[in-house]
Amino acid sequence: MSLRTRIRDFSSLVQLQAPALPTTASALHAARDIGDVRELARRRTPRFVFDYVDGGSFREESVAYNQTAFAGHRFAPRVLRPVGQPDLSAELLGGRTKLPIGLAPTGLTGLSHPEGEKAVARAAAAFGVPFSVSTMATSSIEDVAAAAPDSRRWFQLYLRTDRAKSLDLIRRALNHGYESLVLTVDTAVAGRRLRDDRNGLALPPKLRVDTFFDTARHPGWALRFLANGAPKLANFSESTNSISELVSSMFDPQLSFDDLDWLREQWPKNLIIKGVLHPDDARTAFDHGADAVWVSNHGGRQMDRTVAPIDVIAEIRAAVGPHRPLILDSGIRSGLDVAAALAAGADFVHVGRAFLYGLMAGGQPGVERVLQILSDETRNAMQLLGAATITDLRQGQLHAPLCMNLDQYPEDSVLNKRTA
Ligand SMILES: Cc1cc2nc3c(=O)[nH]c(=O)nc-3n(C[C@H](O)[C@H](O)[C@H](O)COP(=O)(O)O)c2cc1C
């Protein structure tokens, strides 16, 4: 056979395509899981931006552990149950959502993409899930409502020492169709975010020599920001310095359960308390009028070296009883994590970083891609676990961790032999 014939035969077997520069749409489509989206986000944003989203407090032990704790929970699937059309919808606070997944409040979202909270609210509306607008948002309460009038909007409040300023935010949220108020309570003071301090993160961003070159290596991000102007806190006008100083000025270290009674009088709709990890605090929050408790360690951005919410949700469920609404976040990066949280006793989950990676990777379509991945993975997990509805996940499919840190399995354990 001649060389030419061999080349012809070979080329008929392979489909050669001219390499095309990946568009945002194709890159998002190619992303198979949240890890892929995170990698895309890392490549597309300057480091100080990626670090702000990806990082946590102090040595970031809680950030890492939140995911290790999920991995330590194992499933025992139930079989021979019809799961052809699983129903992923969830009942929460008097409303039904298409998915049991919401988008958590995140401050300075406009750093990730200039469309910031507006893009996130539109993506949430497209998937019929709630999105919480942070006190520290870079789009105002009013602008988010106008950008996504059909969205299920919640407003996240930091109750400030100056109560009049908080009251102003509460009234604006009430007047613009926000259906729940989320009071964050794990922020007596700011967590020590070392990556941000080292990167000199400030608002508006101040470019140092290193951050200037880093930004120049990400022309897409830089051009978008030149066109739209530097992000700022949109819900109030106050002079800002370093992020830690700014964040500290938002918090009231004297906040106590008595303040919940006051807040309960100001806000007639759903009141959710976010940042609870102890069963007694969850019970007390309900006693003071909370409609739901949000079990969270702030994604490892406040107190470091905490327990993970997935470790304590079952205990909190036992403490508050079967009917009190419990939300969980921190460390959710896949549909398996969603299924584990629901199986352990949460009614609903939220993601923070996962959707921000999507926003950094590709604006609103990036957030939608993340919701699609999480929804597909949750559906797949439910089917493989024998659950036709999310309540069917509580049929003994979840096993509490045998050993939290996989590295700590004894050397002769089955697991180590299998992975060796
Ligand atoms: C960049 C960033 C900013 C955040 N800002 C706020 C905020 O303003 N208010 C708040 O209550 N929580 C805030 N959080 C915490 C999230 O609401 C959520 O609890 C956390 O991200 C969940 O963990 P996960 O990122 O592992 O999903 C922020 C989280 C991130 C990643």
Side-chain angles (χ1 to χ4, degrees), residues 336-357:
L336 267 67
D337 300 337
V338 175
L342 299 172
D347 296 295
F348 202 82
V349 304
H350 273 73
V351 292
R353 290 182 186 82
F355 84 78
L356 288 175
Y357 295 144

Side-chain angles (χ1 to χ4, degrees), residues 157 160 162-170 172 236 238:
L157 182 73
R160 307 181 66 173
D162 185 343
R163 295 287 190 267
K165 284 186 177 153
S166 295
L167 215 44
D168 172 55
L169 294 177
I170 294 170
R172 286 163 58 194
F236 25 65
E238 274 169 59

Side-chain angles (χ1 to χ4, degrees), residues 311-330:
D311 291 338
V312 291
I313 187 78
E315 204 185 332
I316 293 181
R317 168 57 70 208
V320 302
H323 303 300
R324 300 286 205 182
L326 292 178
I327 299 168
L328 179 147
D329 78 13
S330 300

